[in-house]
Amino acid sequence: MALAQTHPDLASFYDHLAPNYDRLHKRWLRHAGGEAQAALEATVRAVATPGMELLDAGCGTGAFARRLVVEGLAPSQMTLLDPSAAMLARCADLPARRVTGRLEAIPLASGQFDIVTCAWALETVPRTGQALAELCRMIRPGGVLCLAFCAEKPVLGPRDWIMKAALSLRGAGRFLAVDTVAEDLETRHGLDVRSLPCAGPAAALIARRRPLGLPL
C-alpha cells in the first residue's frame, strides 16, 4: 500500500515547509496531481449549496478554501484543519474557523459537516485507516467526503517516475492503493464510493453517507 514512510514529526515537517509549500505544490499539480485536484474541486462546486458546512481537513495554506470563497462559499461555513500551526497561520486572511489537529484525531464533534474535503493529506499520515475513520465521523447523513491523494498506479513515463521518486525521497507521503481506500470506506463505514477519472500517480474519490432511513 505504500512506497515510503511518512515523516515522523508531521507538524514540524510542514511548519518548516510552509514558506515554500505553495510553490512546491503547484509543481506537483502541474506534473502529476492536476486532474485529481480539478475533479475534486468540480465535485465540491456541484454539491455545495448555501448553508452547507464544509471541513477542509489538511487545509495547508488555504489555497483550495480561497478558490471556494471566490466562487461564493461563505468562509463562515468553513472549518480549516491542519496539524501545522505555520500552515494555519497562512490562512489568517480567511475569516473561517481554524483548528489545529491531526487527521487521525480530529478535535471536533461527530456529524457536523455536509462536505468534508481532504486533498493531498491522507497519504502523509502513518495510520491511514484511523484517518479515514475520523474523516467519516465528521460527515452528516447525506453528506459527502471528497478525497484527492497520491495513488499507487502504474508508472506511465519518466514524469510519473520522477514525481513518485521525489515524494518518496522527501518523506512527505506515501502512495496509497485506490482499491484499498475505497474498500475501507465502503465496508467499514458504509459509504457509497465513486472513483473519478484522472491521470498521474494520483486519485480522486467521492464517498457519500446515506441519509437516515435509506436502506443499505
Side-chain angles (χ1 to χ4, degrees), residues 137-212:
R137 184 175 66 82
M138 295 294 104
I139 309 169
R140 289 173 177 155
V144 294
L145 170 63
C146 305
L147 300 174
F149 54 89
C150 301
E152 182 56 82
K153 293 182 177 180
V155 174
L156 299 180
R159 186 175 66 176
D160 282 4
W161 185 89
I162 290 169
M163 295 307 294
K164 293 181 78 169
L167 189 72
S168 298
L169 290 172
R170 194 165 67 236
R174 304 168 295 154
F175 294 89
L176 306 178
V178 180
D179 290 346
T180 301
V181 175
E183 182 180 5
D184 187 294
L185 294 171
E186 290 173 337
T187 60
R188 289 186 59 203
H189 304 291
L191 275 61
D192 296 320
V193 181
R194 182 163 63 96
S195 180
L196 303 178
C198 53
L205 295 180
I206 307 303
R208 183 179 293 274
R209 185 178 297 286
R210 296 182 183 92
L212 290 175

Coordinates of all heavy atoms in Angstrom, one line a residue, residues 137-212:
R137 N -16.3 10.1 10.4 CA -17.0 10.5 11.6 C -17.5 12.0 11.5 O -18.5 12.3 12.2 CB -16.1 10.4 12.8 CG -16.7 10.7 14.2 CD -15.8 10.4 15.3 NE -14.6 11.3 15.4 CZ -14.6 12.5 15.9 NH1 -15.7 13.0 16.4 NH2 -13.5 13.3 15.9
M138 N -16.9 12.8 10.7 CA -17.3 14.2 10.6 C -18.5 14.4 9.8 O -19.1 15.5 9.8 CB -16.1 15.0 10.0 CG -14.8 15.1 10.8 SD -15.1 16.0 12.3 CE -15.2 14.7 13.5
I139 N -18.9 13.4 8.9 CA -19.9 13.6 7.9 C -21.3 13.4 8.5 O -21.6 12.4 9.1 CB -19.7 12.7 6.7 CG1 -18.3 12.8 6.2 CG2 -20.7 13.0 5.6 CD1 -17.9 11.6 5.2
R140 N -22.2 14.3 8.2 CA -23.6 14.1 8.5 C -24.3 13.1 7.5 O -23.8 12.9 6.4 CB -24.4 15.5 8.3 CG -24.0 16.5 9.3 CD -24.7 17.8 9.0 NE -24.4 18.8 10.0 CZ -24.4 20.1 9.8 NH1 -24.7 20.6 8.6 NH2 -24.2 21.0 10.8
P141 N -25.4 12.5 7.9 CA -26.1 11.7 7.0 C -26.5 12.5 5.7 O -26.9 13.6 5.8 CB -27.4 11.3 7.8 CG -27.0 11.4 9.2 CD -26.0 12.5 9.3
G142 N -26.2 11.9 4.6 CA -26.4 12.6 3.3 C -25.2 13.4 2.9 O -25.2 13.9 1.7
G143 N -24.2 13.5 3.7 CA -23.0 14.3 3.4 C -22.0 13.6 2.6 O -22.2 12.3 2.3
V144 N -21.0 14.3 2.1 CA -20.0 13.7 1.2 C -18.6 13.9 1.7 O -18.3 14.9 2.3 CB -20.1 14.2 -0.3 CG1 -21.5 13.8 -0.9 CG2 -20.0 15.7 -0.3
L145 N -17.7 12.9 1.4 CA -16.3 13.0 1.7 C -15.6 13.1 0.3 O -15.8 12.2 -0.5 CB -15.8 11.8 2.5 CG -14.3 11.6 2.6 CD1 -13.7 12.8 3.4 CD2 -14.0 10.3 3.4
C146 N -14.8 14.1 0.1 CA -14.1 14.3 -1.2 C -12.6 14.1 -0.9 O -12.0 15.0 -0.2 CB -14.4 15.6 -1.8 SG -16.2 15.9 -2.0
L147 N -12.0 13.1 -1.5 CA -10.6 12.9 -1.3 C -9.8 13.0 -2.6 O -10.2 12.6 -3.7 CB -10.4 11.4 -0.8 CG -11.0 11.0 0.5 CD1 -10.8 9.5 0.7 CD2 -10.5 11.8 1.7
A148 N -8.6 13.6 -2.5 CA -7.5 13.5 -3.5 C -6.2 13.1 -2.8 O -5.9 13.7 -1.8 CB -7.4 14.9 -4.2
F149 N -5.5 12.1 -3.4 CA -4.3 11.6 -2.7 C -3.4 11.0 -3.7 O -3.7 10.7 -4.9 CB -4.7 10.6 -1.7 CG -5.5 9.5 -2.1 CD1 -4.9 8.3 -2.6 CD2 -6.9 9.5 -2.1 CE1 -5.7 7.2 -3.0 CE2 -7.7 8.5 -2.5 CZ -7.1 7.3 -3.0
C150 N -2.1 10.9 -3.3 CA -1.1 10.2 -4.1 C -1.4 8.7 -4.2 O -1.6 8.1 -3.2 CB 0.3 10.4 -3.5 SG 0.8 12.1 -3.4
A151 N -1.5 8.2 -5.4 CA -2.1 6.9 -5.6 C -1.0 5.9 -6.2 O -0.2 6.4 -7.1 CB -3.3 6.9 -6.5
E152 N -1.1 4.7 -5.8 CA -0.2 3.7 -6.3 C -0.8 3.2 -7.7 O -1.8 2.4 -7.7 CB -0.1 2.5 -5.4 CG 0.8 1.4 -5.8 CD 2.2 1.8 -6.1 OE1 3.0 2.0 -5.2 OE2 2.5 2.1 -7.3
K153 N -0.3 3.7 -8.8 CA -0.7 3.4 -10.1 C 0.5 3.0 -11.0 O 1.6 3.4 -10.6 CB -1.5 4.5 -10.7 CG -2.8 4.9 -10.1 CD -3.4 6.0 -10.9 CE -4.8 6.4 -10.3 NZ -5.4 7.5 -11.0
P154 N 0.3 2.3 -12.1 CA 1.4 2.0 -12.9 C 2.1 3.3 -13.4 O 1.4 4.3 -13.8 CB 0.8 1.2 -14.1 CG -0.5 0.7 -13.5 CD -0.9 1.7 -12.5
V155 N 3.4 3.3 -13.5 CA 4.2 4.4 -14.0 C 4.1 4.4 -15.5 O 4.4 3.5 -16.2 CB 5.7 4.3 -13.5 CG1 6.5 5.4 -14.2 CG2 5.8 4.4 -12.0
L156 N 3.6 5.5 -16.0 CA 3.3 5.6 -17.5 C 4.5 6.3 -18.3 O 4.5 6.3 -19.5 CB 2.0 6.4 -17.7 CG 0.8 5.7 -17.1 CD1 -0.4 6.6 -17.4 CD2 0.6 4.3 -17.6
G157 N 5.4 6.9 -17.5 CA 6.5 7.5 -18.2 C 7.5 8.2 -17.3 O 7.3 8.1 -16.0
P158 N 8.5 8.8 -17.8 CA 9.5 9.4 -16.9 C 9.0 10.4 -15.9 O 9.4 10.5 -14.8 CB 10.5 10.1 -17.9 CG 10.3 9.3 -19.2 CD 8.9 9.0 -19.2
R159 N 8.0 11.2 -16.3 CA 7.4 12.2 -15.5 C 6.8 11.6 -14.2 O 7.0 12.1 -13.1 CB 6.4 13.1 -16.2 CG 5.9 14.3 -15.4 CD 4.9 15.1 -16.2 NE 3.7 14.4 -16.6 CZ 2.7 15.0 -17.2 NH1 2.8 16.2 -17.6 NH2 1.6 14.3 -17.5
D160 N 6.0 10.5 -14.4 CA 5.4 9.8 -13.3 C 6.5 9.3 -12.3 O 6.4 9.4 -11.1 CB 4.5 8.7 -13.7 CG 3.2 9.2 -14.2 OD1 3.0 10.4 -14.3 OD2 2.4 8.3 -14.6
W161 N 7.5 8.7 -12.9 CA 8.6 8.1 -12.1 C 9.3 9.2 -11.3 O 9.6 9.0 -10.1 CB 9.6 7.4 -13.0 CG 10.7 6.7 -12.2 CD1 10.6 5.4 -11.8 CD2 11.9 7.2 -11.8 NE1 11.8 5.1 -11.1 CE2 12.6 6.2 -11.1 CE3 12.5 8.5 -11.9 CZ2 13.9 6.4 -10.5 CZ3 13.8 8.7 -11.3 CH2 14.4 7.7 -10.6
I162 N 9.6 10.3 -11.9 CA 10.3 11.4 -11.2 C 9.5 12.0 -10.1 O 10.0 12.2 -9.0 CB 10.7 12.5 -12.2 CG1 11.8 12.1 -13.2 CG2 11.1 13.8 -11.5 CD1 12.0 13.0 -14.3
M163 N 8.2 12.2 -10.3 CA 7.3 12.7 -9.2 C 7.2 11.7 -8.1 O 7.2 12.1 -6.9 CB 5.9 13.0 -9.8 CG 5.9 14.2 -10.8 SD 6.8 15.7 -10.3 CE 5.7 16.2 -9.0
K164 N 7.1 10.4 -8.4 CA 7.0 9.4 -7.3 C 8.3 9.4 -6.5 O 8.2 9.3 -5.3 CB 6.6 8.1 -7.9 CG 5.2 8.0 -8.5 CD 4.9 6.7 -9.1 CE 4.5 5.7 -7.9 NZ 3.9 4.4 -8.5
A165 N 9.4 9.4 -7.2 CA 10.7 9.3 -6.5 C 10.9 10.5 -5.7 O 11.4 10.4 -4.5 CB 11.8 9.2 -7.6
A166 N 10.5 11.7 -6.1 CA 10.7 13.0 -5.4 C 9.9 12.9 -4.1 O 10.4 13.3 -3.0 CB 10.3 14.2 -6.2
L167 N 8.7 12.5 -4.2 CA 7.8 12.4 -3.0 C 8.4 11.4 -2.0 O 8.4 11.7 -0.8 CB 6.4 12.0 -3.4 CG 5.4 12.1 -2.2 CD1 5.1 13.6 -1.9 CD2 4.1 11.4 -2.6
S168 N 8.8 10.3 -2.5 CA 9.4 9.2 -1.6 C 10.6 9.7 -0.9 O 10.8 9.5 0.3 CB 9.7 8.0 -2.4 OG 8.5 7.4 -2.9
L169 N 11.5 10.3 -1.6 CA 12.8 10.8 -1.1 C 12.6 11.9 -0.1 O 13.3 12.0 0.9 CB 13.7 11.2 -2.2 CG 14.3 10.2 -3.1 CD1 15.0 10.8 -4.3 CD2 15.2 9.2 -2.3
R170 N 11.6 12.8 -0.3 CA 11.4 13.9 0.6 C 10.7 13.4 1.9 O 10.8 14.1 2.9 CB 10.5 14.9 -0.1 CG 10.5 16.2 0.7 CD 9.9 17.4 -0.2 NE 8.5 17.2 -0.5 CZ 8.0 17.1 -1.7 NH1 8.8 17.3 -2.8 NH2 6.7 17.0 -1.9
G171 N 10.1 12.2 1.9 CA 9.4 11.7 3.1 C 8.1 12.4 3.4 O 7.7 12.4 4.5
A172 N 7.5 13.0 2.3 CA 6.3 13.8 2.6 C 5.1 13.0 2.4 O 4.0 13.5 2.6 CB 6.3 15.0 1.6
G173 N 5.2 11.7 2.1 CA 4.0 10.9 1.9 C 4.2 9.6 1.3 O 5.3 9.2 1.0
R174 N 3.1 8.8 1.2 CA 3.1 7.5 0.6 C 2.2 7.5 -0.6 O 1.4 8.4 -0.8 CB 2.7 6.5 1.6 CG 3.6 6.5 2.9 CD 2.9 5.7 4.0 NE 1.6 6.2 4.4 CZ 0.7 5.5 5.0 NH1 0.8 4.2 5.1 NH2 -0.5 6.1 5.3
F175 N 2.3 6.4 -1.3 CA 1.3 6.2 -2.4 C 0.3 5.1 -2.0 O 0.7 4.0 -1.8 CB 2.1 5.8 -3.7 CG 3.0 6.9 -4.2 CD1 4.3 7.1 -3.8 CD2 2.4 7.8 -5.1 CE1 5.0 8.1 -4.2 CE2 3.2 8.9 -5.5 CZ 4.5 9.0 -5.1
L176 N -0.9 5.5 -2.0 CA -2.0 4.6 -1.4 C -2.7 3.8 -2.5 O -2.9 4.4 -3.6 CB -3.0 5.4 -0.6 CG -2.4 6.3 0.5 CD1 -3.6 7.1 1.1 CD2 -1.7 5.5 1.5
A177 N -3.0 2.6 -2.2 CA -3.8 1.8 -3.2 C -5.2 2.3 -3.2 O -5.9 2.3 -2.2 CB -3.7 0.3 -2.8
V178 N -5.7 2.7 -4.4 CA -7.1 3.2 -4.5 C -8.1 2.2 -4.1 O -9.1 2.6 -3.4 CB -7.3 3.7 -6.0 CG1 -8.7 4.3 -6.1 CG2 -6.3 4.7 -6.4
D179 N -8.0 1.0 -4.5 CA -9.0 0.0 -4.1 C -9.0 -0.2 -2.6 O -10.1 -0.5 -2.1 CB -8.6 -1.4 -4.8 CG -8.9 -1.3 -6.3 OD1 -9.5 -0.3 -6.8 OD2 -8.4 -2.2 -7.0
T180 N -7.9 -0.2 -2.0 CA -7.9 -0.4 -0.5 C -8.6 0.8 0.2 O -9.4 0.6 1.1 CB -6.4 -0.4 0.0 OG1 -5.8 -1.5 -0.7 CG2 -6.4 -0.7 1.5
V181 N -8.4 2.0 -0.2 CA -9.0 3.1 0.4 C -10.6 3.0 0.1 O -11.4 3.2 1.0 CB -8.5 4.5 -0.2 CG1 -9.3 5.7 0.3 CG2 -7.0 4.6 0.2
A182 N -10.9 2.7 -1.1 CA -12.4 2.6 -1.4 C -13.0 1.5 -0.6 O -14.2 1.7 -0.1 CB -12.5 2.4 -2.9
E183 N -12.4 0.4 -0.5 CA -12.9 -0.7 0.2 C -13.1 -0.4 1.7 O -14.1 -0.8 2.3 CB -12.0 -2.0 0.1 CG -12.6 -3.2 0.8 CD -11.7 -4.4 0.6 OE1 -10.6 -4.3 0.1 OE2 -12.1 -5.5 1.1
D184 N -12.2 0.3 2.3 CA -12.3 0.7 3.7 C -13.5 1.6 3.9 O -14.3 1.4 4.8 CB -11.0 1.5 4.1 CG -11.0 1.8 5.6 OD1 -11.8 2.6 6.0 OD2 -10.1 1.3 6.3
L185 N -13.7 2.6 3.0 CA -14.9 3.5 3.1 C -16.2 2.7 2.9 O -17.2 3.0 3.6 CB -14.8 4.6 2.0 CG -13.6 5.6 2.2 CD1 -13.5 6.5 1.0 CD2 -13.8 6.4 3.5
E186 N -16.2 1.7 2.0 CA -17.4 1.0 1.8 C -17.8 0.0 2.8 O -18.9 -0.1 3.3 CB -17.3 0.3 0.4 CG -17.3 1.3 -0.8 CD -17.1 0.6 -2.1 OE1 -16.4 -0.5 -2.1 OE2 -17.4 1.1 -3.1
T187 N -16.8 -0.8 3.2 CA -17.1 -2.0 4.1 C -17.0 -1.6 5.6 O -17.9 -2.0 6.4 CB -16.1 -3.1 3.9 OG1 -14.7 -2.6 4.1 CG2 -16.1 -3.6 2.4
R188 N -16.1 -0.7 6.0 CA -16.0 -0.3 7.4 C -17.0 0.8 7.7 O -17.5 0.9 8.9 CB -14.6 0.1 7.7 CG -13.6 -1.0 7.8 CD -12.2 -0.5 8.3 NE -12.3 0.1 9.6 CZ -11.4 1.0 10.1 NH1 -10.4 1.4 9.3 NH2 -11.6 1.4 11.3
H189 N -17.3 1.7 6.8 CA -18.0 2.9 7.1 C -19.3 3.0 6.4 O -20.1 4.0 6.6 CB -17.2 4.1 6.9 CG -15.9 4.1 7.7 ND1 -15.8 4.2 9.0 CD2 -14.6 3.9 7.2 CE1 -14.5 4.1 9.4 NE2 -13.8 3.9 8.4
G190 N -19.6 2.1 5.4 CA -20.9 2.1 4.8 C -21.2 3.2 3.8 O -22.3 3.5 3.6
L191 N -20.1 3.8 3.3 CA -20.3 4.9 2.3 C -20.4 4.4 0.9 O -19.9 3.3 0.6 CB -19.2 5.9 2.4 CG -19.3 7.0 3.5 CD1 -19.3 6.4 4.9 CD2 -18.1 8.0 3.4
D192 N -21.1 5.1 0.1 CA -21.2 4.8 -1.4 C -20.0 5.6 -2.0 O -20.0 6.8 -2.0 CB -22.5 5.3 -1.9 CG -23.7 4.6 -1.4 OD1 -23.6 3.3 -1.2 OD2 -24.7 5.2 -1.1
V193 N -19.1 4.8 -2.7 CA -17.9 5.4 -3.2 C -17.9 5.4 -4.7 O -18.3 4.4 -5.3 CB -16.7 4.6 -2.6 CG1 -15.4 5.2 -3.1 CG2 -16.7 4.6 -1.1
R194 N -17.4 6.5 -5.2 CA -17.2 6.6 -6.7 C -15.8 7.2 -6.9 O -15.4 8.2 -6.3 CB -18.2 7.5 -7.3 CG -18.1 7.7 -8.8 CD -19.4 8.2 -9.4 NE -19.7 9.6 -8.9 CZ -19.3 10.7 -9.6 NH1 -18.7 10.6 -10.8 NH2 -19.7 11.9 -9.2
S195 N -15.0 6.5 -7.8 CA -13.7 7.0 -8.2 C -13.8 7.9 -9.5 O -14.5 7.5 -10.4 CB -12.8 5.8 -8.6 OG -11.5 6.2 -9.0
L196 N -13.2 9.0 -9.4 CA -13.3 10.0 -10.5 C -12.1 9.7 -11.5 O -11.0 9.5 -11.0 CB -13.3 11.4 -10.0 CG -14.4 11.8 -9.0 CD1 -14.2 13.2 -8.5 CD2 -15.7 11.6 -9.6
P197 N -12.3 9.8 -12.8 CA -11.2 9.5 -13.7 C -10.2 10.6 -13.7 O -10.5 11.8 -13.7 CB -11.9 9.5 -15.1 CG -13.2 10.2 -14.9 CD -13.6 10.0 -13.5
C198 N -8.9 10.3 -13.5 CA -7.8 11.2 -13.5 C -6.5 10.5 -13.8 O -6.4 9.3 -13.5 CB -7.8 12.0 -12.2 SG -7.7 11.0 -10.8
A199 N -5.6 11.2 -14.4 CA -4.3 10.6 -14.7 C -3.3 11.0 -13.6 O -3.6 11.6 -12.7 CB -3.8 11.2 -16.1
G200 N -2.0 10.5 -13.9 CA -1.0 10.7 -12.9 C -1.0 9.7 -11.8 O -1.9 8.9 -11.6
P201 N 0.1 9.7 -11.0 CA 0.1 8.9 -9.7 C -0.8 9.5 -8.7 O -0.3 9.9 -7.6 CB 1.6 8.9 -9.4 CG 2.1 10.2 -9.9 CD 1.3 10.5 -11.1
A202 N -2.1 9.7 -9.0 CA -3.0 10.4 -8.1 C -4.4 9.9 -8.3 O -4.7 9.3 -9.4 CB -3.0 11.9 -8.4
A203 N -5.3 10.1 -7.3 CA -6.6 9.6 -7.4 C -7.6 10.6 -6.7 O -7.1 11.4 -5.8 CB -6.7 8.2 -6.7
A204 N -8.8 10.6 -7.1 CA -9.9 11.4 -6.5 C -11.1 10.4 -6.3 O -11.5 9.7 -7.2 CB -10.3 12.5 -7.4
L205 N -11.5 10.4 -5.0 CA -12.7 9.6 -4.6 C -13.7 10.4 -4.0 O -13.4 11.4 -3.2 CB -12.3 8.5 -3.6 CG -11.3 7.4 -4.1 CD1 -11.1 6.4 -2.9 CD2 -11.8 6.6 -5.3
I206 N -15.0 10.1 -4.3 CA -16.1 10.8 -3.7 C -16.9 9.7 -3.0 O -17.3 8.7 -3.5 CB -17.0 11.5 -4.7 CG1 -16.2 12.4 -5.6 CG2 -18.1 12.3 -4.1 CD1 -15.4 13.5 -4.9
A207 N -17.2 9.9 -1.7 CA -17.9 9.0 -0.9 C -19.1 9.7 -0.2 O -18.9 10.7 0.5 CB -17.0 8.3 0.2
R208 N -20.3 9.1 -0.3 CA -21.5 9.7 0.3 C -22.0 8.8 1.4 O -22.2 7.6 1.2 CB -22.5 9.9 -0.8 CG -23.8 10.6 -0.3 CD -24.8 10.9 -1.4 NE -24.3 11.8 -2.4 CZ -24.4 13.1 -2.3 NH1 -25.0 13.7 -1.2 NH2 -24.0 13.9 -3.3
R209 N -22.4 9.5 2.5 CA -23.1 8.8 3.6 C -24.6 8.8 3.3 O -25.1 9.8 3.0 CB -22.8 9.5 4.9 CG -23.4 8.7 6.1 CD -23.1 9.3 7.4 NE -21.7 9.3 7.7 CZ -21.0 8.3 8.1 NH1 -21.6 7.1 8.2 NH2 -19.7 8.4 8.3
R210 N -25.2 7.6 3.3 CA -26.6 7.5 3.0 C -27.4 8.4 4.0 O -27.1 8.4 5.2 CB -27.1 6.1 3.1 CG -26.5 5.2 2.0 CD -27.0 3.8 2.1 NE -26.4 2.9 1.2 CZ -25.3 2.2 1.5 NH1 -24.8 2.2 2.6 NH2 -24.8 1.4 0.5
P211 N -28.5 9.0 3.6 CA -29.4 9.8 4.5 C -30.0 8.8 5.5 O -30.2 7.6 5.2 CB -30.4 10.4 3.6 CG -29.8 10.4 2.2 CD -28.9 9.2 2.2
L212 N -30.4 9.3 6.6 CA -31.1 8.4 7.6 C -32.3 7.9 7.1 O -33.1 8.5 6.4 CB -31.4 9.3 8.9 CG -30.2 9.7 9.7 CD1 -30.7 10.7 10.8 CD2 -29.4 8.5 10.3

